[in-house]
Amino acid sequence: MKLGIVGLPNVGKSTLFNSLTKGEAESANYPFCTIDPNVGIVTVPDPRLAVLASIYGSEKILPAAIEFVDIAGLVKGASKGEGLGNQFLSHIREVDAILHVVRCFEDPNIVHVEGSVDPLRDIETINLELIFSDLEIIERRIQRTQKAAKADKNLAIELKILELLKQKLEDGVCARLIEWDSPEEKEFVNSLNLLTQKPVLYGANVTEDDLISDAENNPYVQIVKNFALGEQSEVFTICAKIEEEIAELEDDEKDAFLAELGIKDTGLDRLIAASYRLLGLISYLTAGPKETRAWTIVQGTKAPQAAGKIHTDFEKGFIRAEVVAFKDLTESGSHAAAKEKGLVRLEGKEYVVQDGDVILFRFNV
């Protein structure tokens, strides 16, 4: 999974990036301190892996991973060259979803590029810059398609979709909010790789006191949640300052620190959970003496396609999947014991993989 981080300058974007990835993106109290895009990879915490590794005597554990791309803060007029312009938006065109960090705290010591804290205005500013960036792509595509359509009448349908897209974007509507008449139309729009077509996860950055007491009572957070509800996006609250402190701790110190603050989980945990919900993702597991590993797939994926995540040959030559639920396996104590109890199943090509399935794929090419 790959997430692109966007937001206005000084909203805590790069501080959050550093905390999540333990990276070294420049973070300072002035706009545009992040110049080049920063890329960091973090593993997805999954306690099931250690349990399986113990049962199978695995030499190593390989969790799923998320890649974060942090770009320079955007400002109003970026698409027309203000600030650093939108030159870095190309770096997040390949991401699966966008993490939009929104400032939901007051602090006179941290400047706001607009002079005041207003989450709704800030969200709309970023959305407009993403829309303007997409419009450039759509306008160029329309020009090419118009020329090609003279020789190929089949392109008339594509041209109609592009023109409707252009109209909607000019009206300030993000591409992901447009309803299409057919799966084919939606597939074509997805192929355009538009920024405003990507799912969005809003990170409401709050103060330490707000996170510890009750961030839900923060009026700024409520504004973000109400906006996100209208476009069926996910929202999670985070305190970049606390995450910065957590990032400096050893693993065995984190739990004690969280307990002291009265917080159940880290911002990364909440971010990952929200990301998986937003994108409809689950994990299945493989285990053996060499390694125990988590594989991320879209909910509803059938066994052959899930096998293809490991290697394309697994999908091409798929025969069957030997499946046992994580809960059944761990309660049995071993794969052999689970098999004796009839808990290990042989599934075919139509089997829909479930979260926590421990699978051994049989294939032949």
Side-chain angles (χ1 to χ4, degrees):
M1 180 163 54
K2 194 172 182 179
L3 298 180
I5 308 179
V6 301
L8 292 171
N10 292 354
V11 297
K13 193 168 56 64
S14 292
T15 299
L16 179 60
F17 172 84
N18 286 338
S19 305
L20 298 177
T21 64
K22 296 186 179 179
E24 296 178 353
E26 190 175 353
S27 173
N29 184 23
Y30 55 87
F32 319 126
C33 59
T34 305
I35 304 299
D36 296 318
N38 298 287
V39 179
I41 296 175
V42 299
T43 56
V44 176
D46 190 337
R48 297 175 298 190
L49 295 176
V51 177
L52 286 181
S54 175
I55 291 175
Y56 285 86
S58 306
E59 293 176 14
K60 57 184 178 180
I61 294 175
L62 295 172
I66 297 179
E67 182 176 321
F68 292 99
V69 182
D70 176 36
I71 63 169
L74 299 172
V75 294
K76 186 183 290 184
S79 58
K80 297 176 183 176
E82 292 297 322
L84 293 173
N86 64 4
Q87 57 184 304
F88 298 116
L89 288 177
S90 61
H91 295 286
I92 58 170
R93 286 213 174 267
E94 303 304 320
V95 300
D96 300 302
I98 289 175
L99 169 56
H100 185 165
V101 182
V102 185
R103 179 169 167 172
C104 293
F105 64 89
E106 297 277 1
D107 188 336
N109 297 315
I110 301 178
V111 297
H112 191 293
V113 290
E114 294 288 348
S116 63
V117 178
D118 184 340
L120 191 56
R121 177 204 60 208
D122 295 351
I123 289 171
E124 289 175 345
T125 295
I126 296 298
N127 279 348
L128 276 175
E129 297 312 316
L130 300 183
I131 284 172
F132 289 144
S133 182
D134 282 348
L135 269 172
E136 288 183 15
I137 287 178
I138 294 299
E139 286 167 353
R140 288 198 298 268
R141 183 66 178 259
I142 286 175
Q143 289 175 359
R144 292 201 306 270
T145 307
Q146 283 175 333
K147 292 178 182 177
K150 293 175 182 177
D152 185 353
K153 299 302 181 185
N154 293 326
L155 291 176
I157 297 174
E158 287 189 9
L159 188 58
K160 186 179 178 182
I161 296 171
L162 289 168
E163 287 172 342
L164 177 59
L165 257 174
K166 182 175 182 289
Q167 179 189 324
K168 291 287 188 180
L169 290 170
E170 287 176 339
D171 290 340
V173 179
C174 291
R176 63 180 173 275
L177 302 179
I178 303 172
E179 293 186 7
W180 299 100
D181 295 330
S182 68
E184 291 76 20
E185 287 179 337
K186 192 170 183 179
E187 187 178 345
F188 171 68
V189 174
N190 286 336
S191 73
L192 299 172
N193 221 8
L194 300 176
L195 291 171
T196 60
Q197 177 71 6
K198 297 181 185 299
V200 175
L201 174 64
Y202 292 98
N205 189 14
V206 300
T207 63
E208 186 173 333
D209 288 342
D210 271 348
L211 192 69
I212 293 171
S213 56
D214 186 7
E216 300 304 313
N217 288 328
N218 180 318
Y220 293 141
V221 173
Q222 285 305 317
I223 289 171
V224 176
K225 287 196 169 185
N226 289 338
F227 179 86
L229 189 64
E231 58 174 37
Q232 297 181 318
S233 295
E234 281 274 350
V235 180
F236 77 105
T237 53
I238 196 163
C239 174
K241 188 171 172 27
I242 288 179
E243 295 304 312
E244 198 171 28
E245 294 177 36
I246 291 174
E248 295 174 358
L249 300 174
E250 298 297 329
D251 289 340
D252 57 349
E253 298 174 314
K254 288 181 182 178
D255 291 339
F257 179 70
L258 291 172
E260 186 180 330
L261 294 176
I263 301 172
K264 292 181 180 179
D265 45 25
T266 67
L268 179 61
D269 294 333
R270 291 192 296 279
L271 168 58
I272 290 170
S275 301
Y276 270 59
R277 286 194 303 271
L278 178 69
L279 296 171
L281 302 177
I282 60 171
S283 294
Y284 76 85
L285 314 166
T286 56
K290 288 187 177 180
E291 66 178 40
T292 289
R293 185 164 183 167
W295 303 87
T296 303
I297 57 173
V298 176
Q299 197 165 10
T301 300
K302 293 183 179 180
Q305 288 69 48
K309 291 286 289 186
I310 300 175
H311 198 285
T312 52
D313 284 350
F314 281 36
E315 181 176 356
K316 290 176 185 175
F318 179 87
I319 300 173
R320 63 181 178 273
E322 195 172 290
V323 184
V324 58
F326 173 80
K327 185 174 181 289
D328 291 340
L329 176 61
T330 52
E331 287 179 352
S332 300
S334 70
H335 189 274
K339 203 166 189 175
E340 283 180 17
K341 294 178 181 178
L343 299 172
V344 179
R345 315 180 309 275
L346 293 179
E347 301 286 1
K349 292 181 178 180
E350 294 304 309
Y351 176 69
V352 176
V353 176
Q354 303 298 306
D355 185 61
D357 277 350
V358 183
I359 306 180
L360 174 64
F361 292 107
R362 304 290 184 187
F363 71 102
N364 183 34
V365 289

